[in-house]
Amino acid sequence: MVDVVTQLKAKFDSSALLTNDQDKAKYVTDWPGKITGKAAAVIKPTNTAEVSEIMKIAFDTATPVVPQSGNTSVAGGSVPDTNGSAIVVSLERMNKIRDISPSAMTATVEAGCILEHLHQTFEEQNLFFPLNFGAKGSCMIGGNLATNAGGQNVVRYGNTRDLCLGIEAVTSDGRIVNLLSGLRKDNTGYDLRDLFIGSEGTLGIITAATLKLFHLPKARATTFAVVPDITRALALLNHAQAETGGAVEAFELIPKVFLQLVKKYAPQYNIPFENIPTLCVLIEIAATSNNESLANEDGIAPVNSKLENILEVGFEKGFVLDAVIATSEAQRRQMWDMREGALEVITAAGTRIGFDISLPLNKIQNFVEEMESQTEAIISGLRMCHMGHLGDGNLHYAIFPPENKPEILMAKAEEIKSVVYDSIGKYGGSFSAEHGIGVSKLSAMSKYKDPVSLAIMKQIKATLDPKNIMNPGKLLP
Ligand SMILES: Cc1cc2nc3c(=O)[nH]c(=O)nc-3n(C[C@H](O)[C@H](O)[C@H](O)COP(=O)(O)OP(=O)(O)OC[C@H]3O[C@@H](n4cnc5c(N)ncnc54)[C@H](O)[C@@H]3O)c2cc1C
């Protein structure tokens, strides 16, 4: 049989097909720079029909296929292994917005659209797509769907799955599944859209999606508030939800260890307090109506007054110890830049054990305390950074070694991971909240995923991908 690259060369020119190592390099190394694989070729289709042609060739030749969008995966899911037989299918040239409907409040976009470009385009029409996080300038909607990405606005709008009305996908044998209807009600059997969302490229290639749009907030009120502990932070969240009718857009937890790292590794970010506090939350509420967003004669928008009132009650009840409200868009941006740059700051700080976990909100305080005492018994002086999207129960929990002793941590890494993962199970949490499994959490998947669910997932995989060519070695142990 003619090999895959020869067959692809017969159909695609050199602008679409990369075969030399230099051209392929950026597609085979992951964002953290920890994994570098090998690919027989990188192929960059421009439309769904081409993706279908590629998949037919891959199916006939039993070639492993790694779908790739923005390549910002932090779970090692978007790059091939070192075998060299796989092709990377990059969606980056499939970046058209097919349709925006302000009346239906939907947009149909191709998988390679960069998230931030979508934000900008929709905003020009006063529309809002709320998925948002630090990688927005590079990640693409196909990858967001394939990982069911979360981010900072989940507390209000849900995960990517909740923001998607339909998808178009190409199966492992090249068939095109068109589920782009954009319907908000469609009970016609199994929901294949939801099957592809979160499947991390192991079932097929998502080529387009119909997204839910929202009204663009006309004003936002943002604060950095110092809180005594997580329990009282959550009391503040519930108070804010009640006062705003559920309009809390973001509720992010920022602990002292993170702010210390900011001071050391990213001094360009402005910490809005003179002394670094023990625990903060970054809270944002928003208004879409003129009533709430237009400034009164004192120059203050009602949404800002509402936030001030929420904080005032928070002070009285002991939920809040100190707070700074952003008084301009520039100050708000400074607060968010620091939050959105968190992964870079944490990465710059070097050796750590990182977790992307979720817990029931009412268990987080106990979990954090228990982790502190249990890990202290393994290594004294660990620095615990329980940063995260507190409003939806997701912690990007990072454990740093005692200052200047990185080797101590890695020697005990497996023991510490077991303590954390066992405890997550005990509290009814998840070992993978939003970044996905990729390759980095395969062992946790074997050990902690419900075995019946895992067996059914493998049956689904075998049905949709009988030759096991779709991102093999990822997601499923
Ligand atoms: C600085 C930074 C901050 C981050 N913050 C967050 C955060 O707050 N929340 C969060 O959820 N994630 C976060 N991430 C992780 C990452 O950005 C997300 O997982 C993102 O959704 C991946 O999108 P991507 O386009 O880069 O996908 P890629 O990295 O290219 O791919 C991710 C996975 O999806 C598969 N895939 C990609 N495209 C397709 C497709 N079209 N069809 C089928 N499968 C496909 C890949 O094979 C891979 O398994 C962050 C990453 C960085 C670097």
Side-chain angles (χ1 to χ4, degrees):
M1 185 188 289
V2 185
D3 73 277
V4 66
V5 175
T6 309
Q7 289 199 46
L8 289 172
K9 270 187 181 157
K11 298 206 174 203
F12 294 92
D13 66 20
S14 60
S15 65
L17 185 66
L18 313 179
T19 51
N20 83 52
D21 288 345
Q22 212 180 339
D23 294 339
K24 288 185 288 186
K26 79 170 180 144
Y27 302 90
V28 297
T29 296
D30 70 343
W31 182 88
K34 282 191 187 150
I35 303 175
T36 297
K38 281 188 191 152
V42 175
I43 176 89
K44 303 193 286 178
T46 54
N47 58 53
T48 306
E50 286 183 1
V51 176
S52 169
E53 272 190 74
I54 293 164
M55 286 315 306
K56 283 178 185 157
I57 294 171
F59 191 78
D60 287 346
T61 54
T63 301
V65 171
V66 180
Q68 188 181 94
S69 291
N71 195 17
T72 65
S73 168
V74 284
S78 53
V79 289
D81 63 18
T82 50
N83 176 292
S85 60
I87 56 169
V88 173
V89 178
S90 165
L91 280 299
E92 70 184 18
R93 297 205 301 172
M94 286 188 61
N95 56 8
K96 288 188 228 28
I97 295 181
R98 293 187 189 166
D99 175 58
I100 300 179
S101 170
S103 56
M105 300 289 283
T106 60
T108 298
V109 307
E110 291 183 346
C113 289
I114 291 177
L115 181 58
E116 194 170 35
H117 293 175
L118 290 178
H119 290 165
Q120 287 157 355
T121 308
F122 299 151
E123 279 176 27
E124 283 164 17
Q125 302 200 30
N126 276 325
L127 295 167
F128 178 52
F129 183 62
L131 180 68
N132 199 1
F133 51 87
K136 65 186 166 202
S138 311
C139 68
M140 298 170 188
I141 199 69
N144 302 149
L145 286 158
T147 56
N148 185 26
Q152 63 221 25
N153 294 135
V154 173
V155 63
R156 173 103 195 250
Y157 301 96
N159 296 291
T160 311
R161 186 189 297 288
D162 304 297
L163 302 171
C164 175
L165 292 168
I167 60 158
E168 175 190 83
V170 176
T171 59
S172 72
D173 56 4
R175 286 174 292 166
I176 298 170
V177 191
N178 187 336
L179 299 166
L180 283 177
S181 70
L183 296 173
R184 287 164 202 259
K185 284 189 172 177
D186 181 12
N187 278 348
T188 51
Y190 305 144
D191 195 334
L192 299 181
R193 170 199 60 179
D194 268 349
L195 197 55
F196 282 102
I197 296 174
S199 64
E200 298 186 38
T202 62
L203 298 180
I205 300 186
I206 296 168
T207 45
T210 300
L211 306 176
K212 261 188 215 170
L213 302 180
F214 296 80
H215 298 285
L216 184 67
K218 290 187 174 135
R220 293 181 168 100
T222 312
T223 180
F224 234 97
V226 180
V227 289
D229 54 32
I230 293 170
T231 303
R232 278 173 280 192
L234 289 172
L236 178 66
L237 168 63
N238 286 330
H239 172 63
Q241 292 287 35
E243 287 303 302
T244 59
V248 175
E249 302 263 309
F251 197 86
E252 301 284 298
L253 187 69
I254 300 182
K256 182 177 188 172
V257 170
F258 174 71
L259 295 174
Q260 288 170 330
L261 296 178
V262 166
K263 211 168 171 192
K264 188 162 174 190
Y265 297 101
Q268 73 274 20
Y269 297 135
N270 176 37
I271 300 170
F273 303 103
E274 215 168 291
N275 299 315
I276 292 185
T278 306
L279 197 61
C280 298
V281 281
L282 175 56
I283 312 172
E284 187 155 279
I285 62 175
T288 53
S289 71
N290 285 341
N291 261 352
E292 296 239 52
S293 56
L294 293 180
N296 60 22
E297 57 277 10
D298 301 328
I300 297 175
V303 67
N304 267 81
S305 309
K306 197 176 262 182
L307 183 61
E308 278 172 24
N309 292 340
I310 289 167
L311 291 171
E312 246 170 60
V313 174
F315 278 118
E316 280 162 21
K317 294 196 168 180
F319 305 157
V320 179
L321 304 174
D322 195 1
V324 172
I325 295 182
T327 53
S328 63
E329 177 54 25
Q331 208 182 354
R332 169 181 175 264
R333 207 49 261 161
Q334 279 181 356
M335 292 178 178
W336 276 112
D337 283 349
M338 175 165 61
R339 172 60 191 95
E340 289 172 2
L343 194 53
E344 276 101 340
V345 173
I346 284 173
T347 305
T351 305
R352 74 182 192 281
I353 309 175
F355 300 90
D356 164 37
I357 60 178
S358 65
L359 289 147
L361 293 183
N362 58 353
K363 304 282 166 56
I364 297 179
Q365 178 76 50
N366 287 353
F367 170 82
V368 166
E369 283 170 11
E370 187 174 310
M371 284 311 91
E372 264 162 13
S373 62
Q374 288 202 21
T375 54
E376 179 69 19
I378 301 173
I379 301 173
S380 179
L382 289 173
R383 290 168 295 151
M384 316 295 276
C385 183
H386 44 274
M387 181 99 195
H389 310 300
L390 180 61
D392 63 48
N394 175 194
L395 295 184
H396 293 306
Y397 194 75
I399 301 182
F400 289 94
E403 290 283 2
N404 307 321
K405 291 184 182 163
E407 66 296 339
I408 297 189
L409 182 67
M410 293 336 274
K412 300 270 184 182
E414 289 312 311
E415 197 180 337
I416 290 174
K417 278 188 198 167
S418 291
V419 163
V420 174
Y421 283 140
D422 288 347
S423 199
I424 291 166
K426 189 178 94 185
Y427 283 111
S430 170
F431 58 89
S432 174
E434 61 173 12
H435 292 161
I437 304 298
V439 291
S440 67
K441 292 196 197 84
L442 283 174
S443 62
M445 191 75 168
S446 307
K447 198 167 166 197
Y448 297 101
K449 182 80 183 171
D450 163 55
V452 177
S453 307
L454 195 53
I456 293 172
M457 284 167 72
K458 286 181 178 172
Q459 286 173 322
I460 292 170
K461 164 85 170 166
T463 303
L464 282 181
D465 181 20
K467 293 192 177 177
N468 190 26
I469 58 170
M470 292 310 310
N471 218 359
K474 316 284 170 54
L475 178 63
L476 292 171

